[in-house]
Amino acid sequence: MSYLKRYGARRVPQSDPMPGAGQVSDSAGGYAWAVDDWARLRRFLVLGSEGGSYYASERTLTRESAAAVERCIRADGARAVAEMAAVSEAGRAPKNDPALYALAMAAGLGDVDTRRAALEALPRVARTGTHLFRFATFAEGFRGWGRSLRRAVGRWYAAQPVEALAYQAVKYRRREGVSHRDLLRLAHPGARVSGGNPTLEVSDAHARLFDWIVRGGATGALPRLVEGFVRAQRADSEVETARLVAEYRLAGEAVRPEHLSSPAVWTALLADMPMTALVRNLATMTRVGVLAPGSAGTATVLERLGDAERIRRARLHPIAVLAALRTYASGRGARGRGMWEPVAPVVDALDAAFYTAFETVEPSGGRMMLALDVSGSMGWAEVAGVPGLSPRVASAAMALVTAATEPRHEIVAFASGGWIRTAGRRRFAGMPDGLTRLAISPRQRLDDVVRAVSDLPFGGTDCALPMLYAQAAGREVDTFVIYTDSETWAGDVHPAQALYDYRRASGIDARLVVVGMVSNGFSIADPADAGMLDVVGFDTATPPLIADFARRAL
């Protein structure tokens, strides 16, 4: 028996820690590096913790993430709040709930300066009525309704133009048991306090709108949108509703539910429909006949999905586009309710919009290997709580964003414990088991690529395989980009050591980017090596960051 099999500084199995490297046990029983609290904060802000992961329940993942967020708040509250606001404001995350939760935590658990900074950042993070309702609910879990919170919520209402506030009032009336009426009664902006001073100065127009939201009544002195909403709620026919939608530019939430099966109503709604609502309602508009081959509605949708500036202004996240693409192309709802015949040009436009939703990427010009972890754990749970969007599927979509801008790339998939090479099950001398080259391209439609990756067999996790394959096959790689949950455990050598060996054998100072697809606390990137980088999956800023790191601009 070789002593090195039991304890070797260079070739240590992933089930044991690398000596002196400071690794910790991951949730799968292997060893990796713990990411610091700031990296964990960013993962939580972008990916959330809904659905948990294969190895950790949603409760466990949320508690661990929340503890890291709290440590960041206590260590440097100003920096933590700035990070929350930046991720939310730039639309880098699929959902805003993690940022709202973290901001509420900062507003309740931080020191005086941190609480003040969090409440001042409220309008930047809570941009809609729904956001404000969620923040208020989260905040009640960390603090009471003291004067500072009431003033912050009051400022949120008072700072908005009256027309914009009227839109919020009729579109986001109530969510999860909270309404504008409830919050205005708590915040009472403009109300008198002891001593005669108002809690917050507001205009007469604001005061009239607040009064209508709380008490109802006449709409004569209010913005026209409120009048249109009241009339639409009383409309007797779909024809009248369609006319009111066009006249007052109403949103779908202002319409009586029984009139939302009308093609005329949806045609009127489409004229001023925001991008997020447009993507969300493609199936409904197809089902009622507004979207059909060659129709005017289809032309409008294609024009908007092709407008890059409109997509950026709307903060339309790639996850929303990918979820819409997968659902719409399938022709049936995620839960089996409702069916439609997809319009092919709309599917193609969604595919193109997915790439547009990411930040513009300048190619690095280097040689890249994009490696997708397709192990069993990557097929579990959901990214950002989107039904059917597993980390395995999401990583394939993300890899194509980089592949679309990097002409010198190779895409592979890996999992231990099964021969999944496309050449067949015949083993080749010196080649690692469990890895396959993927014949996929950004020129293919995204849903076809996702389907191909979904059909690959599962196995254990060995994140060293891409580097082992590159060395065995003589591949010249400047940057390895591995999309994984970092729950690696099955290999005979650690991924970092495999990279060191590849550098030594090839003479290439290769770099490694680890794209974390789950909001856990682990990474296979050695924090002591400047040639390894840990980033967050499905952050819209990640593809340009990968390119900058690959060209050594970081």
Side-chain angles (χ1 to χ4, degrees):
M1 180 182 296
S2 170
Y3 291 112
L4 287 176
K5 290 183 179 180
R6 292 298 185 189
Y7 188 91
R10 288 182 54 190
R11 305 288 293 190
V12 179
Q14 294 173 31
S15 56
D16 294 326
M18 293 175 64
Q23 292 183 314
V24 299
S25 177
D26 61 30
S27 303
Y31 282 83
W33 282 277
V35 298
D36 65 24
D37 288 337
W38 296 99
R40 191 73 187 262
L41 169 64
R42 284 188 290 273
R43 286 188 181 184
F44 177 69
L45 291 175
V46 175
L47 296 172
S49 57
E50 291 179 78
S53 70
Y54 182 80
Y55 295 107
S57 68
E58 179 176 322
R59 174 183 170 82
T60 299
L61 211 56
T62 300
R63 289 176 66 87
E64 291 176 354
S65 297
V69 173
E70 182 175 352
R71 289 193 294 270
C72 289
I73 290 170
R74 298 195 185 281
D76 190 340
R79 177 186 173 188
V81 169
E83 187 80 27
M84 300 165 197
V87 169
S88 175
E89 201 168 29
R92 289 165 50 189
K95 291 187 176 182
N96 205 34
D97 281 7
L100 292 166
Y101 175 81
L103 192 71
M105 185 186 294
L109 302 184
D111 57 25
V112 173
D113 290 338
T114 299
R115 294 198 300 270
R116 182 182 301 113
L119 294 176
E120 288 176 353
L122 179 59
R124 297 173 58 193
V125 180
R127 295 177 297 277
T128 70
T130 295
H131 294 166
L132 185 65
F133 299 157
R134 293 270 170 81
F135 173 82
T137 301
F138 289 145
E140 288 179 343
F142 297 106
R143 56 170 294 161
W145 277 87
R147 178 176 295 184
S148 61
L149 180 57
R150 294 199 305 270
R151 286 182 65 85
V153 172
R155 281 196 303 269
W156 188 94
Y157 284 102
Q160 296 200 46
V162 174
E163 294 289 345
L165 189 58
Y167 179 83
Q168 296 291 326
V170 301
K171 181 176 174 65
Y172 307 104
R173 301 196 297 279
R174 175 179 288 273
R175 295 289 191 279
E176 299 179 7
V178 183
S179 69
H180 290 292
R181 181 172 181 261
D182 299 330
L183 295 187
L184 285 171
R185 284 184 161 181
L186 285 167
H188 48 75
R192 296 282 168 176
V193 297
S194 59
N197 295 319
T199 56
L200 190 70
E201 293 285 357
V202 299
S203 70
D204 290 342
H206 279 85
R208 287 193 296 269
L209 181 58
F210 295 160
D211 190 67
W212 176 78
I213 293 171
V214 174
R215 298 182 179 84
T219 62
L222 300 177
R224 288 187 74 251
L225 187 65
V226 176
E227 177 189 345
F229 163 73
V230 172
R231 294 182 63 185
Q233 291 296 299
R234 297 171 179 169
D236 293 326
S237 69
E238 296 170 351
V239 172
E240 183 183 2
T241 294
R243 181 181 60 78
L244 291 170
V245 167
E247 180 181 352
Y248 291 97
R249 304 177 68 179
L250 299 175
E253 290 81 355
V255 173
R256 293 175 62 175
E258 59 267 32
H259 292 170
L260 286 175
S261 59
S262 164
V265 170
W266 279 104
T267 298
L269 288 170
L270 180 58
D272 291 295
M273 189 176 291
M275 283 297 296
T276 303
L278 182 147
V279 169
R280 189 174 60 245
N281 288 299
L282 289 172
T284 300
M285 290 189 288
T286 301
R287 195 162 46 241
V288 301
V290 174
L291 301 187
S295 72
T298 297
T300 297
V301 167
L302 295 182
E303 184 271 328
R304 293 184 188 172
L305 288 176
D307 188 337
E309 184 57 32
R310 185 188 289 264
I311 288 174
R312 279 190 282 271
R313 285 200 311 268
R315 297 185 180 90
L316 188 61
H317 196 277
I319 282 278
V321 182
L322 179 58
L325 171 62
R326 298 195 73 211
T327 301
Y328 184 75
S330 72
R332 60 184 299 163
R335 294 174 177 83
R337 290 196 291 261
M339 301 186 71
W340 58 89
E341 186 67 33
V343 179
V346 174
V347 177
D348 291 337
L350 283 169
D351 185 89
F354 173 78
Y355 297 97
T356 304
F358 282 97
E359 292 184 19
T360 302
V361 183
E362 180 183 346
S364 71
R367 298 161 294 188
M368 281 195 181
M369 180 173 288
L370 308 174
L372 313 182
D373 180 352
V374 295
S375 61
S377 62
M378 289 287 283
W380 190 265
E382 300 166 342
V383 173
V386 177
L389 188 61
S390 67
R392 173 191 257 218
V393 168
S395 64
M398 257 206 98
L400 288 185
V401 177
T402 296
T405 59
E406 298 290 348
R408 305 168 70 188
H409 71 266
E410 179 179 6
I411 304 178
V412 299
F414 65 90
S416 73
W419 188 251
I420 60 174
R421 184 182 302 283
T422 52
R425 297 186 62 85
R426 184 167 65 88
R427 296 175 181 268
F428 297 91
M431 300 294 281
D433 191 3
L435 184 141
T436 183
R437 296 180 63 194
L438 295 179
I440 60 177
S441 163
R443 295 184 181 89
Q444 296 174 256
R445 215 166 64 186
L446 186 60
D447 55 325
D448 293 331
V449 172
V450 166
R451 191 177 306 112
V453 174
S454 300
D455 291 339
L456 290 172
F458 289 76
T461 309
D462 181 1
C463 290
L465 283 172
M467 283 71 73
L468 296 176
Y469 160 71
Q471 183 174 341
R475 292 286 193 268
E476 294 183 341
V477 179
D478 297 309
T479 306
F480 293 90
V481 184
I482 298 182
Y483 301 81
T484 180
D485 57 8
S486 292
E487 300 280 16
T488 189
W489 57 272
D492 295 329
V493 59
H494 281 265
Q497 185 61 58
L499 179 64
Y500 304 150
D501 292 344
Y502 175 79
R503 289 170 176 170
R504 187 180 304 108
S506 67
I508 300 172
D509 186 20
R511 297 193 142 200
L512 170 64
V513 179
V514 181
V515 185
M517 301 302 297
V518 173
S519 183
N520 59 20
F522 309 107
S523 175
I524 60 171
D526 184 350
D529 189 321
M532 301 190 201
L533 177 68
D534 185 83
V535 296
V536 182
F538 263 111
D539 183 337
T540 56
T542 287
L545 187 62
I546 291 173
D548 286 344
F549 186 72
R551 72 170 66 90
R552 288 164 167 72
L554 297 178

